[in-house]
Amino acid sequence: MKKLNLILLLLLFVFAESFAQEKNILQQLEEIAIIDQKVMMPMRDGVRLATDIYRPKSDKPVPIIFSRTPYNFNSYRDGELVTRTLQTALEAVKNGYAYVVQNERGRFFSEGEWDILGVPLTDGYDAFEWMSKQSWSNGKIGTIGCSSTAEWQMAVASLNHPAHTALVPQAYGAGVGRIGNLYEQGNWYRGGAGQMLFTAWLYGTQHDPLAPKLPEGLEQKDLIRLQRFYDMAPRYPRVDWAQGLSHLPVQDIIKNVNGPQGIYEEMITRKPNDPKWYEGGLFHDDMEFEKPAFWFVSWYDVASTPNLAMYNHIIANAKDPKIRDNQYLVIAPTLHCAFTRATENTIVGERSMGDARLPYDELTYAWFDYWLKGEESEIIQKMPKVRYFTMGSNKWQSSDTWPPKEAQMVTYYLDSKGKANSRLGNGVLTTKRPGKDNPDTFQYDPMDPVNSYGGNVCCTGNAVQGGSFDQQEMELRDDILVYTSEPLAQGIEVSGFIEAKLFLSSDVKDTDLTIKLIDVYPDGRAYNLDETIQRVRYREGYDKEVFMEKGKVYEVNLTPMSTSNYFEKGHRIRIEISSSNFPRFDRNMNTGGNNYDETEGIVATNNIHHSSRYPSSISLPIIKK
């Protein structure tokens, strides 16, 4: 009995401490900050956006850290106090900033109709205008956020509001539209194939037009009262996306699980170069960008390549040399928005990355102190332009550029005796250009696709677990071609963009080509590094569809991959090639049709050619150690 009483007392103490901590965050904030919640900030068309403001109790004007989001930041959920936003605000105020967080139009307490990425762009501009004119503002605003709280920043920066002084975009890929030959259109596509993350994400995000909403024009005092028991957040039933994403046609996936109607049904019909991609909140390479930015990318996120291409694009195209010289980049070995969750032994999937921690708060506040307060910072003075994590050697490294200048492209050619099917086949990866063509043949059945296993993903619920996993069992499938180098005589670092060129013939009008880069350990473990896909109809560009003729050989250049990985001595370099990676990417039905409205596919017989005439290859940016 005494032992039971002791346990009960201990549990009560822990509960009391937890409750006190929640209260203490709010009390600490109230002691040092003026809290102004549910300020309805007016936009130029009269729509008002719900905004919470936390600013120091001071007569001195202060800089603003601004976070704009489609997500729920309400201080109460189900009548209980939620402290996450309060904690962020507390840290900002302690550091001498006003922290302002705002919902995009049509989200939660904000008025208007929601569209993805918070369009119109003028909402961001109008918010900067309103904040910069407040008596408590010093006229300098820094923006910060991860994922959908980051993605709007680039396009709004192109409007060049004078108060928008600096950015910290983190995992910002869904805000990147077209950059050079990359037509991601906000992660909707990769190589012209649909990425299925938005299907699952929009199920829980898009607003059904028939859903109840608060009346417009409510007063702040009423909104503050309502927020304590009504947070405007719908509770959608949980979906088993491992099964749900398999439904055909793709355009009816959300409908099939009785989800909300909304923007998905329209977006799924857009092609990679649809004019509507250029009307919304995406940043495209014909826009200006003249703001200093501190960029954060992850190796196992869904958009490392377009994110890095965006960084390089700004450096190459900013008009002001000061802006070109003030673009900084961190590349971590983590999953989507998991920077701060790195530990002394960071496990991503099944692979240990070692100690992948960085002092992220210290870095971002030093950045804002420099640009918004004008304070000199030793951290900023010593900060490398690019800080990147090399997996395998498990260490942080620095460079003046991405890729590092020391990286030299080395081409590895595909070769076999005509049977590269599975890791038990005879596919090899060699620096020697092959002679005779012994094409490798596999069948791709859309009804039995290669399943995604780990990878560089985001937001697919339980359908795909991101990260690095041993691919050996997957590599036993005959519809995966496997090409492996000899064991390395010395260790090499691969850091940069990875290019792949494949020569394909097929018996169908259209199909996909997928590729995956693998680090093979001496004991056989095969850890995935990055992956990509190309829908063959777009091999000549995304403004047209060019279908194949039966038996004719076509050159297909895949969208680049990206990584930094040290292949130790004795390890081998491997690539996998197939025609599906599902449900990371949608399935090509092989018909030449729309895919999104099709329920039946046809089996494709695909051939990968490798010879002096058809030099299928992968080019790696190698730094010899």
Side-chain angles (χ1 to χ4, degrees):
M1 181 62 73
K2 288 183 179 180
K3 186 175 181 181
L4 179 61
N5 289 336
L6 184 61
I7 292 172
L8 289 172
L9 284 171
L10 182 61
L11 290 173
L12 286 171
F13 175 76
V14 170
F15 176 79
E17 283 292 301
S18 177
F19 182 74
Q21 187 178 13
E22 274 198 348
K23 295 295 290 184
N24 284 339
I25 291 172
L26 180 57
Q27 289 171 350
Q28 290 175 51
L29 196 53
E30 289 172 335
E31 288 174 0
I32 64 172
I34 296 171
I35 301 174
D36 201 6
Q37 293 182 331
K38 298 297 175 282
V39 174
M40 300 303 287
M41 190 183 294
M43 302 292 103
R44 63 186 63 186
D45 61 355
V47 168
R48 303 180 308 158
L49 305 187
T51 310
D52 286 1
I53 301 170
Y54 306 87
R55 55 190 177 88
K57 290 182 177 178
S58 170
D59 294 331
K60 181 182 177 181
V62 295
I64 298 169
I65 295 175
F66 181 45
S67 179
R68 186 163 172 263
T69 181
Y71 298 125
N72 186 11
F73 61 80
N74 201 54
S75 293
Y76 292 87
R77 308 269 172 87
D78 299 321
E80 299 291 334
L81 186 68
V82 178
T83 61
R84 184 175 179 179
T85 299
L86 299 179
Q87 184 65 59
T88 303
L90 178 62
E91 293 303 314
V93 173
K94 282 181 176 179
N95 281 279
Y97 294 91
Y99 180 69
V100 180
V101 57
Q102 180 179 85
N103 267 141
E104 296 170 357
R105 67 168 56 204
R107 297 295 289 165
F108 306 105
F109 287 84
S110 287
E111 298 174 348
E113 298 299 324
W114 181 75
D115 195 355
I116 194 166
L117 285 174
V119 291
L121 283 183
T122 53
D123 281 359
Y125 191 96
D126 292 350
F128 296 147
E129 188 74 6
W130 186 93
M131 288 185 288
S132 64
K133 291 182 177 179
Q134 301 306 302
S135 60
W136 44 265
S137 167
N138 76 346
K140 293 184 182 295
I141 301 169
T143 52
I144 191 170
C146 198
S147 191
S148 289
T149 310
E151 292 148 1
W152 66 280
Q153 295 183 54
M154 292 88 74
V156 173
S158 72
L159 302 180
N160 205 26
H161 192 285
H164 191 196
T165 307
L167 296 79
V168 182
Q170 303 163 327
Y172 48 89
V176 179
R178 180 197 64 217
I179 301 291
N181 293 325
L182 295 169
Y183 281 64
E184 290 266 318
Q185 306 301 17
N187 295 159
W188 194 271
Y189 283 105
R190 172 68 52 81
Q195 303 201 68
M196 300 199 77
L197 69 98
F198 272 113
T199 304
W201 187 78
L202 283 170
Y203 167 82
T205 303
Q206 66 182 10
H207 279 192
D208 193 300
L210 299 181
K213 298 175 62 176
L214 289 175
E216 296 187 354
L218 292 179
E219 294 184 20
Q220 181 184 15
K221 62 180 178 63
D222 293 322
L223 295 170
I224 290 173
R225 174 172 52 84
L226 285 170
Q227 76 160 340
R228 294 180 63 86
F229 55 84
Y230 188 61
D231 65 4
M232 294 288 292
R235 306 295 196 271
Y236 297 111
R238 190 176 296 276
V239 172
D240 178 6
W241 287 117
Q243 296 297 320
L245 291 177
S246 297
H247 179 81
L248 293 172
V250 173
Q251 66 182 7
D252 290 341
I253 289 177
I254 294 180
K255 179 180 178 182
N256 182 59
V257 293
N258 298 312
Q261 298 179 17
I263 191 65
Y264 174 80
E265 285 71 25
E266 183 272 318
M267 292 180 75
I268 197 68
T269 67
R270 297 185 195 174
K271 295 182 178 181
N273 202 32
D274 192 297
K276 289 187 178 179
W277 294 118
Y278 304 93
E279 298 172 0
L282 295 172
F283 180 91
H284 303 288
D285 57 13
D286 58 351
M287 295 176 167
E288 291 188 0
F289 190 101
E290 299 292 328
K291 304 291 182 183
F294 193 4
W295 309 85
F296 289 85
V297 176
S298 298
W299 286 135
Y300 285 95
D301 200 355
V302 71
S304 55
T305 291
N307 286 356
L308 295 170
M310 172 77 184
Y311 171 79
N312 284 342
H313 170 79
I314 301 306
I315 292 173
N317 292 279
K319 296 176 181 178
D320 186 344
K322 185 178 180 182
I323 298 302
R324 292 197 298 270
D325 292 342
N326 282 286
Q327 305 297 317
Y328 290 83
L329 172 67
V330 169
I331 317 173
T334 54
L335 298 172
H336 181 71
C337 285
F339 308 102
T340 59
R341 293 195 288 277
T343 64
E344 188 175 1
N345 182 27
T346 303
I347 307 295
V348 184
E350 293 175 340
R351 193 184 188 197
S352 171
M353 305 299 175
D355 192 345
R357 295 173 296 181
L358 277 184
Y360 289 102
D361 289 343
E362 184 179 358
L363 290 170
T364 53
Y365 276 115
W367 177 257
F368 284 140
D369 288 347
Y370 180 78
W371 288 105
L372 306 185
K373 295 180 179 179
E375 296 180 0
E376 292 297 327
S377 169
E378 187 175 350
I379 292 175
I380 300 299
Q381 291 173 354
K382 293 183 177 181
M383 191 161 65
K385 286 291 192 293
V386 179
R387 183 177 293 167
Y388 66 99
F389 192 92
T390 300
M391 300 173 287
S393 58
N394 290 356
K395 63 181 181 180
W396 286 101
Q397 301 198 84
S398 60
S399 173
D400 292 332
T401 63
W402 185 259
K405 293 176 182 177
E406 302 84 0
Q408 300 294 319
M409 297 301 286
V410 176
T411 299
Y412 285 79
Y413 297 96
L414 282 61
D415 202 358
S416 77
K417 296 179 181 179
K419 191 66 176 178
N421 308 75
S422 87
R423 63 178 171 84
L424 304 179
N426 51 36
V428 297
L429 207 56
T430 174
T431 54
K432 182 181 178 181
R433 196 179 180 111
K436 183 181 178 181
D437 189 20
N438 293 303
D440 295 303
T441 301
F442 67 96
Q443 288 194 322
Y444 160 50
D445 182 356
M447 299 301 107
D448 183 25
V450 173
N451 296 118
S452 306
Y453 185 54
N456 315 70
V457 300
C458 161
C459 317
T460 54
N462 67 328
V464 187
Q465 183 180 353
S468 192
F469 290 85
D470 185 355
Q471 303 292 308
Q472 289 186 88
E473 185 173 347
M474 293 292 298
E475 292 169 346
L476 293 175
R477 291 182 60 132
D478 275 350
D479 54 358
I480 298 177
L481 304 182
V482 179
Y483 302 88
T484 309
S485 75
E486 290 295 321
L488 296 171
Q490 62 180 19
I492 60 171
E493 178 185 326
V494 174
S495 291
F497 296 110
I498 298 145
E499 300 169 357
K501 177 191 298 184
L502 301 177
F503 288 86
L504 167 76
S505 64
S506 181
D507 63 350
V508 295
K509 295 173 62 177
D510 185 44
T511 193
D512 290 344
L513 284 178
T514 64
I515 191 168
K516 191 180 293 184
L517 179 65
I518 310 286
D519 183 349
V520 183
Y521 283 55
D523 63 4
R525 285 175 294 158
Y527 289 119
N528 52 299
L529 299 172
D530 199 5
E531 59 202 3
T532 194
I533 191 169
Q534 183 64 44
R535 187 144 290 173
V536 177
R537 70 174 73 179
Y538 295 117
R539 68 191 177 279
E540 296 183 16
Y542 296 100
D543 57 344
K544 55 188 174 183
E545 299 178 25
V546 182
F547 295 104
M548 295 185 292
E549 297 177 24
K550 184 176 181 179
K552 186 175 179 179
V553 180
Y554 296 93
E555 178 180 323
V556 182
N557 291 281
L558 282 79
T559 299
M561 297 180 284
S562 300
T563 198
S564 178
N565 185 76
Y566 183 69
F567 291 81
E568 294 187 35
K569 178 182 177 180
H571 285 221
R572 292 177 291 164
I573 303 168
R574 174 177 290 170
I575 62 169
E576 298 173 7
I577 293 171
S578 192
S579 287
S580 52
N581 182 347
F582 175 81
R584 163 80 197 273
F585 305 108
D586 68 352
R587 291 167 285 180
N588 196 324
M589 306 303 282
N590 296 330
T591 65
N594 290 324
N595 284 295
Y596 62 78
D597 58 1
E598 297 181 85
T599 58
E600 295 184 9
I602 57 177
V603 176
T605 300
N606 294 333
N607 309 284
I608 299 298
H609 299 260
H610 36 77
S611 64
S612 57
R613 183 180 181 185
Y614 303 124
S616 291
S617 62
I618 184 169
S619 296
L620 305 177
I622 289 179
I623 301 173
K624 293 185 178 180
K625 296 293 185 180

